[in-house]
Amino acid sequence: MKSDEIILETSAKLDIASVLEEIAGEVAPLVGQGEVASYIPRLARVPANRFGMAVATLDGRLFSVGDAEERFSIQSISKAFSLTLALEALGGELWKRVGREPSGNAFNSLVQLERENGIPRNPFINAGAHVIADVILSQTPKPLETLLEFVRDRSGNAEVCIDEEVASSEREAGFRNAALANFIRSFGNLDNPVEDVLDFYFHQCALQMSCTDLARAFLYLANEGRCQRSGESVINPERAKRINALMLTCGTYDAAGEFAFRVGLPAKSGVGGGIIAVVPKVLTVAVWSPGLDEKGNSLAGATALDLFTTLTGLSVF
Ligand code: DON
């Protein structure tokens, strides 16, 4: 029996539905705690007392608990989708324009950019995502349509959409992103007009998806780059490996070390309160609860993932 089969067989024996119920019970006292992101005015209106979690397995099963079908603003989780598109378009050349190291700074920090000549530390901080957006704009005639089609295909949900209200709310309050993008452009690391880069970026962040959408959509990263349903290649296995590695080291902002310590999985969070995590060769798990900790990660969500890997033994360590 191949090692992948052993792992899949182990996951098949786990009672994931009961694990999710247990987690929902354990994190209930945390739900509603923390701060809902308010620097994007539209997100400040999201009720804090929500919790949802969904697991999608490579053998085609789906489990969920709580508000797992409710759509929310995926924000920076979108950076893992856009990185996939940019890496497919540019291959290894991409790494001349964006680094692969954790930043150790807040996701919207300006300070490193000056010292590092406009090359963002990684694709998951805001500056890095602007460079990725620029690559997609240069390589794709209809960038937003391409992104939306990709996300709809991956999630199997044609109703996934972009919330224009969230996008324009962020544009109106997006002074820091505007500063970052202008700064990168001054170093010659953006080819497209800053306005276009920001417009794409604010729209990708405004994608609305549920936990079940996210769990299904990211199965390709658990499946060595292949679509779980058709087996077709989405991205080659080497690139899937690299995206997972970046999610582990940089996917949860300057809390990535703490997150690896607690959860032990590649993961990407967003200030909408969502987190997607990948158990390579086994499953994906998405969680959502809008209350954030001081680093911008979902408070109840991070605890739920900590419990998930502890209860199931499914982490990369
Ligand atoms: O640009 C922002 O601040 C938000 N659209 C996204 C922030 C987020 O989710 C965390 N970023 N790494």
Side-chain angles (χ1 to χ4, degrees), residues 44-71:
R45 303 198 330 236
V46 173
N49 62 345
R50 295 285 195 276
F51 175 81
M53 195 163 183
V55 169
T57 65
L58 284 192
D59 54 13
R61 295 171 302 148
L62 184 78
F63 304 90
S64 64
V65 70
D67 303 310
E69 297 294 340
E70 197 168 324
R71 287 191 206 161

PDB file of all heavy atoms in Angstrom, residues 44-71:
ATOM      1  N   ALA A  44     -16.684  46.329   9.398  1.00  0.00           N
ATOM      2  CA  ALA A  44     -17.017  46.636  10.796  1.00  0.00           C
ATOM      3  C   ALA A  44     -18.464  46.248  11.112  1.00  0.00           C
ATOM      4  O   ALA A  44     -18.826  46.056  12.277  1.00  0.00           O
ATOM      5  CB  ALA A  44     -16.794  48.121  11.062  1.00  0.00           C
ATOM      6  N   ARG A  45     -19.291  46.120  10.059  1.00  0.00           N
ATOM      7  CA  ARG A  45     -20.728  45.808  10.273  1.00  0.00           C
ATOM      8  C   ARG A  45     -21.003  44.315  10.386  1.00  0.00           C
ATOM      9  O   ARG A  45     -22.137  43.910  10.660  1.00  0.00           O
ATOM     10  CB  ARG A  45     -21.556  46.387   9.121  1.00  0.00           C
ATOM     11  CG  ARG A  45     -21.363  47.878   8.964  1.00  0.00           C
ATOM     12  CD  ARG A  45     -22.432  48.609   8.160  1.00  0.00           C
ATOM     13  NE  ARG A  45     -23.108  47.877   7.112  1.00  0.00           N
ATOM     14  CZ  ARG A  45     -23.151  48.284   5.836  1.00  0.00           C
ATOM     15  NH1 ARG A  45     -22.512  49.374   5.459  1.00  0.00           N
ATOM     16  NH2 ARG A  45     -23.828  47.604   4.935  1.00  0.00           N
ATOM     17  N   VAL A  46     -19.988  43.488  10.171  1.00  0.00           N
ATOM     18  CA  VAL A  46     -20.202  42.028  10.198  1.00  0.00           C
ATOM     19  C   VAL A  46     -20.427  41.579  11.654  1.00  0.00           C
ATOM     20  O   VAL A  46     -19.656  41.949  12.532  1.00  0.00           O
ATOM     21  CB  VAL A  46     -18.980  41.284   9.593  1.00  0.00           C
ATOM     22  CG1 VAL A  46     -19.098  39.779   9.758  1.00  0.00           C
ATOM     23  CG2 VAL A  46     -18.801  41.655   8.137  1.00  0.00           C
ATOM     24  N   PRO A  47     -21.491  40.812  11.933  1.00  0.00           N
ATOM     25  CA  PRO A  47     -21.710  40.363  13.312  1.00  0.00           C
ATOM     26  C   PRO A  47     -20.561  39.478  13.801  1.00  0.00           C
ATOM     27  O   PRO A  47     -20.101  38.600  13.072  1.00  0.00           O
ATOM     28  CB  PRO A  47     -23.006  39.549  13.237  1.00  0.00           C
ATOM     29  CG  PRO A  47     -23.491  39.644  11.845  1.00  0.00           C
ATOM     30  CD  PRO A  47     -22.464  40.293  10.986  1.00  0.00           C
ATOM     31  N   ALA A  48     -20.109  39.724  15.021  1.00  0.00           N
ATOM     32  CA  ALA A  48     -18.927  38.998  15.525  1.00  0.00           C
ATOM     33  C   ALA A  48     -19.263  37.579  15.984  1.00  0.00           C
ATOM     34  O   ALA A  48     -18.392  36.711  16.033  1.00  0.00           O
ATOM     35  CB  ALA A  48     -18.318  39.774  16.684  1.00  0.00           C
ATOM     36  N   ASN A  49     -20.541  37.334  16.301  1.00  0.00           N
ATOM     37  CA  ASN A  49     -20.878  36.063  16.969  1.00  0.00           C
ATOM     38  C   ASN A  49     -21.145  34.917  15.990  1.00  0.00           C
ATOM     39  O   ASN A  49     -22.138  34.200  16.107  1.00  0.00           O
ATOM     40  CB  ASN A  49     -22.099  36.270  17.871  1.00  0.00           C
ATOM     41  CG  ASN A  49     -23.308  36.685  17.068  1.00  0.00           C
ATOM     42  OD1 ASN A  49     -23.168  37.077  15.903  1.00  0.00           O
ATOM     43  ND2 ASN A  49     -24.485  36.594  17.662  1.00  0.00           N
ATOM     44  N   ARG A  50     -20.260  34.765  15.033  1.00  0.00           N
ATOM     45  CA  ARG A  50     -20.429  33.693  14.042  1.00  0.00           C
ATOM     46  C   ARG A  50     -19.266  32.709  14.184  1.00  0.00           C
ATOM     47  O   ARG A  50     -18.141  33.096  14.457  1.00  0.00           O
ATOM     48  CB  ARG A  50     -20.399  34.254  12.626  1.00  0.00           C
ATOM     49  CG  ARG A  50     -21.543  35.164  12.308  1.00  0.00           C
ATOM     50  CD  ARG A  50     -22.808  34.338  12.106  1.00  0.00           C
ATOM     51  NE  ARG A  50     -23.853  35.100  11.477  1.00  0.00           N
ATOM     52  CZ  ARG A  50     -24.689  35.905  12.108  1.00  0.00           C
ATOM     53  NH1 ARG A  50     -24.594  36.051  13.416  1.00  0.00           N
ATOM     54  NH2 ARG A  50     -25.612  36.565  11.453  1.00  0.00           N
ATOM     55  N   PHE A  51     -19.568  31.444  13.918  1.00  0.00           N
ATOM     56  CA  PHE A  51     -18.500  30.435  13.862  1.00  0.00           C
ATOM     57  C   PHE A  51     -18.921  29.337  12.888  1.00  0.00           C
ATOM     58  O   PHE A  51     -20.013  28.762  13.006  1.00  0.00           O
ATOM     59  CB  PHE A  51     -18.257  29.802  15.243  1.00  0.00           C
ATOM     60  CG  PHE A  51     -17.242  28.679  15.179  1.00  0.00           C
ATOM     61  CD1 PHE A  51     -15.883  28.959  15.157  1.00  0.00           C
ATOM     62  CD2 PHE A  51     -17.661  27.349  15.078  1.00  0.00           C
ATOM     63  CE1 PHE A  51     -14.946  27.935  15.057  1.00  0.00           C
ATOM     64  CE2 PHE A  51     -16.729  26.313  14.964  1.00  0.00           C
ATOM     65  CZ  PHE A  51     -15.365  26.612  14.959  1.00  0.00           C
ATOM     66  N   GLY A  52     -18.067  29.059  11.940  1.00  0.00           N
ATOM     67  CA  GLY A  52     -18.334  27.960  11.009  1.00  0.00           C
ATOM     68  C   GLY A  52     -17.039  27.236  10.698  1.00  0.00           C
ATOM     69  O   GLY A  52     -15.949  27.813  10.797  1.00  0.00           O
ATOM     70  N   MET A  53     -17.158  25.961  10.355  1.00  0.00           N
ATOM     71  CA  MET A  53     -15.960  25.180  10.042  1.00  0.00           C
ATOM     72  C   MET A  53     -16.358  24.097   9.032  1.00  0.00           C
ATOM     73  O   MET A  53     -17.447  23.508   9.153  1.00  0.00           O
ATOM     74  CB  MET A  53     -15.457  24.550  11.339  1.00  0.00           C
ATOM     75  CG  MET A  53     -14.046  24.015  11.279  1.00  0.00           C
ATOM     76  SD  MET A  53     -13.438  23.768  12.981  1.00  0.00           S
ATOM     77  CE  MET A  53     -11.785  23.233  12.632  1.00  0.00           C
ATOM     78  N   ALA A  54     -15.502  23.858   8.054  1.00  0.00           N
ATOM     79  CA  ALA A  54     -15.797  22.815   7.063  1.00  0.00           C
ATOM     80  C   ALA A  54     -14.522  22.060   6.712  1.00  0.00           C
ATOM     81  O   ALA A  54     -13.440  22.652   6.649  1.00  0.00           O
ATOM     82  CB  ALA A  54     -16.386  23.427   5.799  1.00  0.00           C
ATOM     83  N   VAL A  55     -14.678  20.776   6.492  1.00  0.00           N
ATOM     84  CA  VAL A  55     -13.559  19.907   6.094  1.00  0.00           C
ATOM     85  C   VAL A  55     -13.934  19.230   4.777  1.00  0.00           C
ATOM     86  O   VAL A  55     -15.033  18.687   4.650  1.00  0.00           O
ATOM     87  CB  VAL A  55     -13.293  18.827   7.177  1.00  0.00           C
ATOM     88  CG1 VAL A  55     -12.327  17.766   6.663  1.00  0.00           C
ATOM     89  CG2 VAL A  55     -12.749  19.468   8.449  1.00  0.00           C
ATOM     90  N   ALA A  56     -13.033  19.304   3.794  1.00  0.00           N
ATOM     91  CA  ALA A  56     -13.232  18.569   2.534  1.00  0.00           C
ATOM     92  C   ALA A  56     -12.083  17.576   2.399  1.00  0.00           C
ATOM     93  O   ALA A  56     -10.911  17.947   2.571  1.00  0.00           O
ATOM     94  CB  ALA A  56     -13.229  19.530   1.348  1.00  0.00           C
ATOM     95  N   THR A  57     -12.414  16.333   2.125  1.00  0.00           N
ATOM     96  CA  THR A  57     -11.372  15.298   2.067  1.00  0.00           C
ATOM     97  C   THR A  57     -11.060  14.920   0.610  1.00  0.00           C
ATOM     98  O   THR A  57     -11.898  15.086  -0.282  1.00  0.00           O
ATOM     99  CB  THR A  57     -11.792  14.015   2.822  1.00  0.00           C
ATOM    100  OG1 THR A  57     -12.914  13.445   2.143  1.00  0.00           O
ATOM    101  CG2 THR A  57     -12.159  14.305   4.263  1.00  0.00           C
ATOM    102  N   LEU A  58      -9.877  14.382   0.406  1.00  0.00           N
ATOM    103  CA  LEU A  58      -9.493  13.994  -0.954  1.00  0.00           C
ATOM    104  C   LEU A  58     -10.305  12.819  -1.467  1.00  0.00           C
ATOM    105  O   LEU A  58     -10.359  12.576  -2.674  1.00  0.00           O
ATOM    106  CB  LEU A  58      -7.992  13.651  -1.017  1.00  0.00           C
ATOM    107  CG  LEU A  58      -7.043  14.834  -1.007  1.00  0.00           C
ATOM    108  CD1 LEU A  58      -5.640  14.389  -1.373  1.00  0.00           C
ATOM    109  CD2 LEU A  58      -7.504  15.937  -1.933  1.00  0.00           C
ATOM    110  N   ASP A  59     -10.948  12.077  -0.550  1.00  0.00           N
ATOM    111  CA  ASP A  59     -11.825  11.011  -1.045  1.00  0.00           C
ATOM    112  C   ASP A  59     -13.263  11.502  -1.230  1.00  0.00           C
ATOM    113  O   ASP A  59     -14.193  10.700  -1.331  1.00  0.00           O
ATOM    114  CB  ASP A  59     -11.734   9.740  -0.173  1.00  0.00           C
ATOM    115  CG  ASP A  59     -11.993  10.027   1.292  1.00  0.00           C
ATOM    116  OD1 ASP A  59     -12.472  11.132   1.598  1.00  0.00           O
ATOM    117  OD2 ASP A  59     -11.719   9.143   2.132  1.00  0.00           O
ATOM    118  N   GLY A  60     -13.433  12.828  -1.283  1.00  0.00           N
ATOM    119  CA  GLY A  60     -14.697  13.396  -1.745  1.00  0.00           C
ATOM    120  C   GLY A  60     -15.750  13.650  -0.680  1.00  0.00           C
ATOM    121  O   GLY A  60     -16.902  13.933  -1.012  1.00  0.00           O
ATOM    122  N   ARG A  61     -15.375  13.564   0.586  1.00  0.00           N
ATOM    123  CA  ARG A  61     -16.383  13.811   1.628  1.00  0.00           C
ATOM    124  C   ARG A  61     -16.305  15.271   2.100  1.00  0.00           C
ATOM    125  O   ARG A  61     -15.266  15.909   1.995  1.00  0.00           O
ATOM    126  CB  ARG A  61     -16.167  12.857   2.802  1.00  0.00           C
ATOM    127  CG  ARG A  61     -16.404  11.396   2.412  1.00  0.00           C
ATOM    128  CD  ARG A  61     -15.990  10.423   3.485  1.00  0.00           C
ATOM    129  NE  ARG A  61     -14.593  10.563   3.829  1.00  0.00           N
ATOM    130  CZ  ARG A  61     -14.092  10.339   5.047  1.00  0.00           C
ATOM    131  NH1 ARG A  61     -14.887   9.988   6.023  1.00  0.00           N
ATOM    132  NH2 ARG A  61     -12.809  10.460   5.265  1.00  0.00           N
ATOM    133  N   LEU A  62     -17.442  15.758   2.627  1.00  0.00           N
ATOM    134  CA  LEU A  62     -17.495  17.124   3.148  1.00  0.00           C
ATOM    135  C   LEU A  62     -18.192  17.090   4.505  1.00  0.00           C
ATOM    136  O   LEU A  62     -19.241  16.452   4.655  1.00  0.00           O
ATOM    137  CB  LEU A  62     -18.290  18.016   2.186  1.00  0.00           C
ATOM    138  CG  LEU A  62     -18.335  19.490   2.572  1.00  0.00           C
ATOM    139  CD1 LEU A  62     -17.028  20.191   2.220  1.00  0.00           C
ATOM    140  CD2 LEU A  62     -19.493  20.191   1.884  1.00  0.00           C
ATOM    141  N   PHE A  63     -17.592  17.745   5.467  1.00  0.00           N
ATOM    142  CA  PHE A  63     -18.166  17.816   6.820  1.00  0.00           C
ATOM    143  C   PHE A  63     -18.242  19.286   7.209  1.00  0.00           C
ATOM    144  O   PHE A  63     -17.368  20.069   6.839  1.00  0.00           O
ATOM    145  CB  PHE A  63     -17.263  17.095   7.832  1.00  0.00           C
ATOM    146  CG  PHE A  63     -16.983  15.672   7.474  1.00  0.00           C
ATOM    147  CD1 PHE A  63     -15.885  15.356   6.679  1.00  0.00           C
ATOM    148  CD2 PHE A  63     -17.811  14.647   7.917  1.00  0.00           C
ATOM    149  CE1 PHE A  63     -15.619  14.037   6.329  1.00  0.00           C
ATOM    150  CE2 PHE A  63     -17.546  13.336   7.576  1.00  0.00           C
ATOM    151  CZ  PHE A  63     -16.445  13.024   6.777  1.00  0.00           C
ATOM    152  N   SER A  64     -19.249  19.651   8.006  1.00  0.00           N
ATOM    153  CA  SER A  64     -19.298  21.052   8.426  1.00  0.00           C
ATOM    154  C   SER A  64     -20.025  21.195   9.749  1.00  0.00           C
ATOM    155  O   SER A  64     -20.757  20.289  10.184  1.00  0.00           O
ATOM    156  CB  SER A  64     -19.975  21.900   7.351  1.00  0.00           C
ATOM    157  OG  SER A  64     -21.312  21.513   7.199  1.00  0.00           O
ATOM    158  N   VAL A  65     -19.823  22.363  10.350  1.00  0.00           N
ATOM    159  CA  VAL A  65     -20.501  22.649  11.607  1.00  0.00           C
ATOM    160  C   VAL A  65     -20.757  24.159  11.663  1.00  0.00           C
ATOM    161  O   VAL A  65     -20.025  24.943  11.049  1.00  0.00           O
ATOM    162  CB  VAL A  65     -19.635  22.165  12.812  1.00  0.00           C
ATOM    163  CG1 VAL A  65     -18.377  23.022  13.004  1.00  0.00           C
ATOM    164  CG2 VAL A  65     -20.429  22.102  14.100  1.00  0.00           C
ATOM    165  N   GLY A  66     -21.796  24.564  12.350  1.00  0.00           N
ATOM    166  CA  GLY A  66     -22.082  25.986  12.579  1.00  0.00           C
ATOM    167  C   GLY A  66     -22.408  26.722  11.289  1.00  0.00           C
ATOM    168  O   GLY A  66     -23.103  26.207  10.417  1.00  0.00           O
ATOM    169  N   ASP A  67     -21.843  27.939  11.174  1.00  0.00           N
ATOM    170  CA  ASP A  67     -22.196  28.828  10.058  1.00  0.00           C
ATOM    171  C   ASP A  67     -21.330  28.559   8.824  1.00  0.00           C
ATOM    172  O   ASP A  67     -20.854  29.514   8.178  1.00  0.00           O
ATOM    173  CB  ASP A  67     -22.018  30.291  10.509  1.00  0.00           C
ATOM    174  CG  ASP A  67     -22.850  30.604  11.749  1.00  0.00           C
ATOM    175  OD1 ASP A  67     -24.053  30.301  11.742  1.00  0.00           O
ATOM    176  OD2 ASP A  67     -22.283  31.135  12.736  1.00  0.00           O
ATOM    177  N   ALA A  68     -21.130  27.299   8.521  1.00  0.00           N
ATOM    178  CA  ALA A  68     -20.184  26.933   7.450  1.00  0.00           C
ATOM    179  C   ALA A  68     -20.688  27.293   6.061  1.00  0.00           C
ATOM    180  O   ALA A  68     -19.904  27.330   5.113  1.00  0.00           O
ATOM    181  CB  ALA A  68     -19.872  25.437   7.519  1.00  0.00           C
ATOM    182  N   GLU A  69     -21.981  27.566   5.933  1.00  0.00           N
ATOM    183  CA  GLU A  69     -22.514  27.920   4.601  1.00  0.00           C
ATOM    184  C   GLU A  69     -22.644  29.426   4.416  1.00  0.00           C
ATOM    185  O   GLU A  69     -23.007  29.890   3.339  1.00  0.00           O
ATOM    186  CB  GLU A  69     -23.908  27.287   4.397  1.00  0.00           C
ATOM    187  CG  GLU A  69     -23.942  25.778   4.399  1.00  0.00           C
ATOM    188  CD  GLU A  69     -23.199  25.165   3.219  1.00  0.00           C
ATOM    189  OE1 GLU A  69     -22.980  25.863   2.214  1.00  0.00           O
ATOM    190  OE2 GLU A  69     -22.809  23.985   3.334  1.00  0.00           O
ATOM    191  N   GLU A  70     -22.368  30.178   5.475  1.00  0.00           N
ATOM    192  CA  GLU A  70     -22.539  31.632   5.373  1.00  0.00           C
ATOM    193  C   GLU A  70     -21.341  32.233   4.653  1.00  0.00           C
ATOM    194  O   GLU A  70     -20.189  31.949   4.987  1.00  0.00           O
ATOM    195  CB  GLU A  70     -22.665  32.239   6.775  1.00  0.00           C
ATOM    196  CG  GLU A  70     -23.237  33.643   6.739  1.00  0.00           C
ATOM    197  CD  GLU A  70     -23.630  34.144   8.125  1.00  0.00           C
ATOM    198  OE1 GLU A  70     -24.108  33.348   8.953  1.00  0.00           O
ATOM    199  OE2 GLU A  70     -23.428  35.334   8.365  1.00  0.00           O
ATOM    200  N   ARG A  71     -21.604  33.109   3.679  1.00  0.00           N
ATOM    201  CA  ARG A  71     -20.495  33.717   2.932  1.00  0.00           C
ATOM    202  C   ARG A  71     -19.918  34.902   3.693  1.00  0.00           C
ATOM    203  O   ARG A  71     -20.661  35.647   4.328  1.00  0.00           O
ATOM    204  CB  ARG A  71     -20.986  34.212   1.589  1.00  0.00           C
ATOM    205  CG  ARG A  71     -21.254  33.075   0.659  1.00  0.00           C
ATOM    206  CD  ARG A  71     -21.471  33.623  -0.728  1.00  0.00           C
ATOM    207  NE  ARG A  71     -22.292  32.682  -1.458  1.00  0.00           N
ATOM    208  CZ  ARG A  71     -22.958  32.986  -2.551  1.00  0.00           C
ATOM    209  NH1 ARG A  71     -22.936  34.217  -3.014  1.00  0.00           N
ATOM    210  NH2 ARG A  71     -23.660  32.067  -3.167  1.00  0.00           N
TER     211      ARG A  71
END
